[in-house]
């Protein structure tokens, strides 16, 4: 079982938008920020979803080569062939570092069972831990009705099982405000050895709620993200239990 860091104790830029049919805003390096307040979307529960799938070039790669060399393997039942080892090992997790206006800091993540609370501080809650990138993925909820209590939230993705795999997945983090278009951040950069990625910062700037694309890959875990953004938490080693999975 792998080990990993566990928790211990202005004006918004213009943005790229999708087609009218998709009703989506994609944050990019060039257009990296949007104001939820100016869109009238800074109230209610903001839903943040992580979903991923294997890159098409990796699905069936070794299997396809094997079939070319041994064509009779195609006669075997599909369940015998199954997933490749690379697909089985990919376990992306969604988390959030939070800092409240009163100085309270902490983390919401599957590791350690820190699932948060949407109706009380930190006003962020993780609904569960999806180990295989299913259609529903993993979801965080942020209660923006308490936005005056929130200073900043850093949404991040990390790989639990210590097998770097960002280069083998196509991951996207999508924010669903209560009104207006959804906001998408694609993790489509190739960083084969990265284990964590700071995806998006949600920040209260003089009462205005901004969403800013980060997409910064690091080779360590949560403690390295902490140092990068100056959170100042204490970290120890941790692991998932069966209940957390």
């Amino acid at each position: 079982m792998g080990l990993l860091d566990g928790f211990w104790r202005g004006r918004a830029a213009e943005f790229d938008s999708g087609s009218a049919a998709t009703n989506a805003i994609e944050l990019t390096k060039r257009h990296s920020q949007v104001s939820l307040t100016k869109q009238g979307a800074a109230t209610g529960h903001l839903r943040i979803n992580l979903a991923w799938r294997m890159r098409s070039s990796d699905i069936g790669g070794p299997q396809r080569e094997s079939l070319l060399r041994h064509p009779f393997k195609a006669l075997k039942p599909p369940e015998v062939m199954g997933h490749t080892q690379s697909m089985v090992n990919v376990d992306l997790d969604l988390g959030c570092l939070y800092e409240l206006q009163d100085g309270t800091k902490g983390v919401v993540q599957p590791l350690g069972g820190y699932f948060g609370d949407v109706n009380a501080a930190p006003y962020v809650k993780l609904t569960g831990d999806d180990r295989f990138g299913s259609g529903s993925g993993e979801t965080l909820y942020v209660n923006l009705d308490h936005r005056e209590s929130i200073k900043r939230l850093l949404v991040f993705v990390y790989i639990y099982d210590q097998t770097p795999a960002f280069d083998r997945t196509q991951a996207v983090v999508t924010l669903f405000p209560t009104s207006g278009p959804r906001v998408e951040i694609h993790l489509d950069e190739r960083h084969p050895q990265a284990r964590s990625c700071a995806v998006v910062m949600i920040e209260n700037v003089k009462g205005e709620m901004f969403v800013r694309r980060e997409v910064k890959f690091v080779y360590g875990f949560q403690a390295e993200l902490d140092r990068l953004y100056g959170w100042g938490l204490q970290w120890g080693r941790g692991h998932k239990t069966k209940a957390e999975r």
Side-chain angles (χ1 to χ4, degrees):
M1 181 174 293
L3 294 179
L4 184 50
D5 289 317
F7 181 54
W8 179 47
R9 302 267 186 241
R11 180 173 179 175
E14 296 296 321
F15 45 77
D16 291 336
S17 61
S19 65
T22 60
N23 194 31
I25 295 168
E26 181 180 349
L27 297 185
T28 64
K29 288 182 179 179
R30 183 177 178 184
H31 303 301
S32 62
Q33 185 168 278
V34 62
S35 168
L36 294 179
T37 302
K38 288 181 179 178
Q39 294 196 148
T43 59
H45 288 179
L46 173 67
R47 179 163 61 97
I48 305 173
N49 177 258
L50 164 67
W52 74 92
R53 60 187 175 87
M54 299 303 298
R55 294 182 185 272
S56 58
S57 60
D58 292 324
I59 296 178
Q63 186 183 101
R64 187 180 301 113
E65 182 179 353
S66 177
L67 288 177
L68 289 175
R69 295 181 179 179
H70 307 283
F72 287 105
K73 284 189 176 182
L75 300 177
K76 290 186 178 181
E79 60 269 20
V80 174
M81 303 175 74
H83 292 299
T84 64
Q85 183 69 19
S86 62
M87 294 178 70
V88 173
N89 283 344
V90 176
D91 180 11
L92 302 186
D93 282 325
L94 184 65
C96 177
L97 285 167
Y98 62 84
E99 181 178 3
L100 304 182
Q101 296 288 1
D102 65 3
T104 302
K105 298 178 182 179
V107 67
V108 173
Q109 63 180 18
L111 185 64
Y114 296 97
F115 289 100
D117 193 319
V118 76
N119 294 313
Y123 309 108
V124 180
K125 183 174 180 61
L126 181 68
T127 59
D129 177 15
D130 171 23
R131 297 181 61 204
F132 301 105
S134 66
S136 60
E138 295 188 9
T139 301
L140 282 165
Y141 287 92
V142 179
N143 190 345
L144 292 180
D145 289 338
H146 291 272
R147 60 192 177 280
E148 71 280 354
S149 299
I150 298 171
K151 182 176 182 180
R152 59 175 180 160
L153 307 172
L154 179 66
V155 177
F156 63 90
V157 175
Y158 64 98
I159 297 173
Y160 167 70
D161 68 1
Q162 296 192 348
T163 302
F166 279 112
D167 63 323
R168 301 203 302 272
T169 60
Q170 290 180 319
V172 59
V173 172
T174 306
L175 283 65
F176 296 89
T178 54
S179 62
R182 67 183 184 271
V183 180
E184 297 180 349
I185 303 97
H186 293 262
L187 308 185
D188 50 10
E189 299 176 17
R190 293 273 189 168
H191 288 269
Q193 299 304 314
R195 300 181 186 275
S196 306
C197 179
V199 180
V200 63
M201 181 77 77
I202 302 169
E203 196 166 15
N204 185 336
V205 181
K206 298 181 180 179
E208 186 170 358
M209 299 303 295
F210 288 97
V211 173
R212 185 176 70 248
R213 178 187 185 272
E214 297 292 328
V215 188
K216 294 181 180 178
F217 290 87
V218 300
Y219 297 97
F221 297 113
Q222 292 90 321
E224 188 168 340
L225 292 173
D226 182 313
R227 288 190 292 270
L228 184 63
Y229 287 89
W231 236 265
L233 300 178
Q234 291 181 304
W235 297 87
R237 301 292 289 179
H239 66 275
K240 289 186 186 179
T241 64
K242 291 182 179 179
E244 290 161 12
R245 291 189 176 190

